[in-house]
Amino acid sequence: MSQGKAIIVDYLTSIPAWYLATVENTPEGGRPHVRPFSFAMLQDGEIQYCTATTKDVYREMQQNPFVELTAWKPGSGWVILRGRANLEDRANAQTRKEGFDHMVGLGEDWLDPNDDRLTFFTIDDAEAWICDIDGSWNPVEL
């Protein structure tokens, strides 16, 4: 497992929310669409993220898989991670349970961890950095 992936998951899970940007197709062309996320978990050396197949974010990643996430934690700079969303749901039972519990804790309504709407994705060909106010972008080896 990559130590860099553990660094990213530790960062993302230490704050209340982080933000994922997708490309939304509009009549005027592709536009950025940003929304808060808060679940990230390591499974088999990959970072798993979860959402719902019924949400715009899922449809947008189906249409254009390029995504970027960012987060800021006071005193720790900010994280940027970009790559291609891989929507193949490979979550194991533990990841599904933790994602389900997390989403229910946010107030979302799910039947159980195997609800067909609950889905997990990874980000392929990812690049990541921890950035600082001094303008530095320090690569995180993934």
Side-chain angles (χ1 to χ4, degrees):
M1 174 183 64
S2 161
Q3 181 180 359
K5 289 179 182 176
I7 290 169
I8 297 297
V9 169
D10 287 346
Y11 191 107
L12 296 178
T13 58
S14 71
I15 55 178
W18 43 274
Y19 299 88
L20 181 78
T22 58
V23 177
E24 180 178 21
N25 293 326
T26 71
E28 297 81 28
R31 302 279 191 229
H33 187 170
V34 179
R35 79 274 289 150
F37 266 65
S38 58
F39 181 84
M41 180 176 168
L42 277 174
Q43 175 196 294
D44 302 327
E46 293 296 325
I47 304 173
Q48 297 284 328
Y49 309 92
C50 72
T51 190
T53 58
T54 55
K55 291 184 177 182
D56 289 346
V57 66
Y58 187 80
R59 180 184 45 76
E60 290 163 6
M61 290 188 294
Q62 284 179 310
Q63 293 173 356
N64 184 332
F66 292 99
V67 297
E68 183 169 290
L69 69 81
T70 191
W72 175 68
K73 180 168 57 173
S76 298
W78 64 93
V79 165
I80 296 172
L81 184 145
R82 65 175 65 130
R84 282 182 306 103
N86 180 337
L87 301 179
E88 181 184 346
D89 186 338
R90 299 185 304 262
N92 63 26
Q94 178 185 354
T95 301
R96 296 195 75 75
K97 174 77 167 95
E98 291 195 30
F100 168 79
D101 290 345
H102 182 85
M103 300 299 263
V104 168
L106 294 174
E108 294 195 12
D109 184 31
W110 301 96
L111 299 174
D112 58 47
N114 295 312
D115 188 320
D116 289 340
R117 299 170 296 158
L118 183 64
T119 191
F120 294 77
F121 66 96
T122 57
I123 299 176
D124 291 345
D125 304 321
E127 302 175 286
W129 301 267
I130 296 180
C131 307
D132 206 334
I133 197 74
D134 66 5
S136 63
W137 284 43
N138 301 300
V140 176
E141 189 66 35
L142 302 175

